[in-house]
Amino acid sequence: MSGINYERKLEFARKKVAEYKQEHLLEYIDFLDVNEKERLLDDILNIDFHFLLELYKNADKEICAESLDLKPAVGVPKSTMNQKELEEIYEIGLAEISRGNLCAVTMAGGQGSRLGHEGPKGTYDIGLPSHKSLFEIQCDGLKKISEKANISIPWYIMTSETNHDDSVAFFEKNNYFGYPKEDIMFFKQSMIPVMDRQGRVLLETPAKILKSPNGNGGLFSSLKENSIFSDMHKRGIKWIFICGIDNVLVKMADPYFLGFTIKSKYKASAKSFLKRDAGEKAGVFCYKDGRPYVIEYTEIPKEYAELKDENGDYVYGDTNVLNYIFDIDVAEDIASVGLPYHTQIKSVTAYINGEYVESKKPDSYKFETFLFDSFSMLDDMGIFRIEREEEFAPVKNKTGIDSAETAREMYLAVYGEDS
Ligand code: UTP
């Protein structure tokens, strides 16, 4: 809107906030400098308040499995494959990588609020002897497979407005950890305004609307909006390996995983591990109404959660690990269809009535999409069951479970002190 003069923009913005009862957003405009004024007005003019208020209206009607046509989706355990089968899927996967058909995508756009680390989560040092950051750990994983496949695997890193510049600067400062710079691409995911319980969009500062990243499901639309799919096509990519930034044991561009997917003729696959107990706080794979689905621990009926097979394994036990492979065409279709929003009630710090207010308990609405909601668009998908101790050590919290300390111990148990 740089073509329209300030007075006209202000008039449009005033009309818009009045229509949606968000007048407080312009309360401090007279105290801002010229650039801040322009930025705030552009932001207001770009917000789809109608859509936001629809999300707000539905915020408390949270999502329960209306239909209980559930069937188990049982993963294929890597541990029960014999040597020949393992070699076969490894060779299939590695050959595909060597042909330049696989890229990796790291979702690093989250806010890492539980960890409370200053700066992007990827820059976090979990205290390994090498003091490698989470970004470097993933980079080293990619280097290993790149060497084996004799090719440099393109690596796309999803950031968000809040951590993009710091993430890029960190790679620059560390000389891209020795990875070919032209094969590391950053792109930002979209942000969505945060609202209070009364349906008012919150301000982060007098000059800025409070926003949060639109969830890990924002990956697909962000790949589209940032023309990343086009870049992938130019590079001849057929498969997208996807993971979060915070699992220090993730096997980047895992040839076994890709080989399993290709051999089983799936267009998408997920890794899983078996849950430890019936009430474990994680979503598990199943089929709902005949389609692949991840049912949350809060959603699954107790008798299903507790059900065991003849070996004593949980039938609804394959836990979603946030590690996937998608055929690029499928990912593009998902981006076109779009994913539903879910509401999270979170604590935030907002600028309200002339002061910064930190909520004492979760009281604000953040809206997020979940990647796993895309599974119901698929006819079927592969589930590759791995061992938790070998491949899953998340860094979520400052202390206690899923902290740097637990992740470090698990990492050292797998890779040893030299790591
Ligand atoms: P989490 O849901 O654990 O969120 O993300 P988080 O941001 O790391 O931490 P909290 O909940 O604020 O404490 C799992 C993975 O998904 C990515 C995160 O960066 C992490 O790798 N993610 C999450 C995004 O990329 N974008 C999002 O909007 C949300």
Side-chain angles (χ1 to χ4, degrees), residues 107-114 121 158 189 213 215 244-245 322 396:
M107 297 182 291
Q111 294 181 306
S113 42
R114 283 168 288 173
K121 209 176 195 180
M158 183 169 82
Q189 74 175 110
I245 184 57
L322 203 71
K396 300 282 182 196

Side-chain angles (χ1 to χ4, degrees), residues 106-116 121 138 158-160 163 189-190 212-219 243-247 322 346 366-370 395-397:
T106 296
M107 297 182 291
Q111 294 181 306
S113 42
R114 283 168 288 173
L115 188 62
K121 209 176 195 180
Q138 292 206 343
M158 183 169 82
T159 60
S160 60
N163 66 18
Q189 74 175 110
S190 303
S212 66
N214 64 348
N216 60 33
L219 171 68
C243 63
I245 184 57
D246 51 10
N247 172 14
L322 203 71
K346 297 271 176 148
K366 286 189 178 179
F367 303 106
E368 289 190 8
T369 52
F370 298 149
V395 185
K396 300 282 182 196
N397 305 309

Side-chain angles (χ1 to χ4, degrees), residues 61-102:
K61 295 184 200 149
E62 211 31 297
I63 326 193
C64 52
E66 323 80 40
S67 142
L68 278 181
D69 175 12
L70 294 185
K71 302 235 164 12
V74 179
V76 178
K78 185 179 171 196
S79 62
T80 60
M81 291 181 172
N82 63 35
Q83 197 56 30
K84 199 167 153 264
E85 287 168 318
L86 285 172
E87 275 168 19
E88 188 190 357
I89 59 170
Y90 184 86
E91 290 308 326
I92 293 174
L94 194 66
E96 189 72 357
I97 298 171
S98 299
R99 286 192 284 271
N101 291 346
L102 180 83

Side-chain angles (χ1 to χ4, degrees), residues 197 344-348 359-365:
R197 300 294 282 263
Q344 311 278 351
I345 301 176
K346 297 271 176 148
S347 304
V348 299
S359 36
K360 301 224 164 20
K361 57 178 176 46
D363 63 353
S364 305
Y365 290 136

